[in-house]
Amino acid sequence: VLRHTTCNVAIVAGDVTRSALPEIESVLVPIDAPDGAAHAVAVACALARPGGRVLLLHVASKALDDDARASWRRDLLKLAPAACVKLGIAVAASVLDDDDAAAAIAATAVGEGADLVCMRARAHRGGRLALGSVLDRVIARCTRPIVVVRDEL
């Protein structure tokens, strides 16, 4: 189903009832590359309640030096829409070194107390979504609800 969808998809883990709709305070947005990630960041900011927070996360498969780490943080923060500031949504960036990106993302979601994980799926010609192996593994491992955001076409 996910590979053929033409819209964004939410995957919700756990029991969510209508009488206890969760308020989204904190959203984790894993980003493998800044190019094309702005839409997922904008969706995450739209989902976070005013006064909430969005954490942009890059997981590097090899150790980065301090300059490369700082450069990644700057690039990630540039993705945040200006509307976040108006809504009082705090946007932070983190860069981790881990050869298992899916495990790092799932652990960060729990460790940071994220209410939701917002991940990007790339659309290919013909409208088919490409769910990368990291996204597949995060869906299998993560205990937090996940919103899969389709690239803007």
Side-chain angles (χ1 to χ4, degrees):
V1 171
L2 289 175
R3 294 190 191 281
H4 301 288
T5 186
T6 58
C7 62
N8 297 332
V9 177
I11 299 169
V12 180
D15 182 27
V16 178
T17 62
R18 286 180 176 232
S19 62
L21 292 177
E23 191 169 83
I24 300 170
E25 171 78 25
S26 176
V27 182
L28 174 65
V29 186
I31 298 171
D32 60 344
D35 294 343
H39 183 59
V41 175
V43 168
C45 290
L47 292 170
R49 72 168 186 76
R53 68 185 181 103
V54 171
L55 176 60
L56 309 178
L57 173 67
H58 174 69
V59 180
S61 59
K62 60 182 180 178
L64 299 176
D65 63 30
D66 290 342
D67 290 339
R69 195 176 293 282
S71 178
W72 260 106
R73 280 193 203 96
R74 282 191 302 275
D75 289 346
L76 292 174
L77 291 172
K78 288 177 188 174
L79 296 171
C84 288
V85 175
K86 291 179 183 174
L87 294 171
I89 296 171
V91 179
S94 180
V95 179
L96 300 177
D97 300 325
D98 198 316
D99 58 354
D100 187 346
I105 292 165
T108 301
V110 172
E112 291 289 332
D115 299 310
L116 185 73
V117 177
C118 184
M119 291 188 73
R120 162 185 183 213
R122 290 175 181 83
H124 288 283
R125 277 182 266 157
R128 250 189 86 195
L129 282 184
L131 299 184
S133 61
V134 172
L135 178 54
D136 283 337
R137 291 192 327 264
V138 171
I139 289 170
R141 285 185 165 170
C142 194
T143 59
R144 300 298 198 251
I146 300 169
V147 173
V148 178
V149 178
R150 176 187 177 94
D151 274 353
E152 286 189 307
L153 298 176

